Amino acid sequence: MSNTTLLFLCPDNALLGPLAEAYLNSKANGLIRAFSAASAPSGRLSRHVERLLAAEGLDARGLTPKPFDIFLLPYAVVPDRVIYLADLAPIDQPSHWKATTSSHWWSIAGKPPLAEGFTASAGYFLKIRTVIDRLLVPPGLPASPAVRDVA
């Protein structure tokens, strides 16, 4: 059984993408694999990422802003879905990607530049967690014990 692969895209891959990547990877029990990137990545993670993830019992180790271009390399992961976390123009999907790779806009944040304070960052993370939790356990369906325990 193959796993679903998601690629989160955000303006600079310093805050939104890494938060979504870390949270989904921690909650999906290996059924979904998340990555994140940006067309213009920042030189470093937002100073709020480590604190926000730690509050959820998650670790920021291994997270770093990445350019979208790494997903264009011949042996790179090809996502099943591209998730836009801010109001960004869609990327031109490479010809070697699957014809079934779909794009989705979650509207976590508006158009860049994004608010940079801790309160705004925490608000973005709450939206990310809410959407991911709904993705993993759609409303009206009982949670499996493995998913129920992560709430």
Side-chain angles (χ1 to χ4, degrees), residues 40-126:
S42 174
R44 62 183 177 87
L45 288 177
S46 163
R47 63 181 188 201
H48 306 302
V49 169
E50 187 173 340
R51 181 176 170 195
L52 290 166
L53 290 176
E56 292 292 319
L58 304 175
D59 194 342
R61 272 184 286 172
L63 293 175
T64 184
K66 297 172 287 305
F68 168 72
D69 295 352
I70 65 172
F71 293 92
L72 302 178
L73 297 173
Y75 297 102
V77 170
V78 175
D80 296 297
R81 290 176 179 69
V82 176
I83 309 289
Y84 295 86
L85 298 173
D87 291 339
L88 302 170
I91 58 165
D92 290 327
Q93 292 188 7
S95 60
H96 71 277
W97 280 15
K98 304 170 194 170
T100 57
T101 297
S102 59
S103 297
H104 308 270
W105 279 260
W106 282 6
S107 300
I108 300 299
K111 290 189 181 269
L114 306 180
E116 295 183 18
F118 182 78
T119 301
S121 298
Y124 296 142
F125 192 35
L126 175 61

Side-chain angles (χ1 to χ4, degrees), residues 3-9 21 24-25 31-36 71 77-83 104 106 132 135:
N3 295 346
T4 299
T5 303
L6 271 60
L7 174 60
F8 290 109
L9 293 180
E21 176 183 350
L24 180 57
N25 284 334
L31 297 175
I32 301 172
R33 179 71 175 117
F35 299 90
S36 65
F71 293 92
V77 170
V78 175
D80 296 297
R81 290 176 179 69
V82 176
I83 309 289
H104 308 270
W106 282 6
I132 288 173
L135 171 74

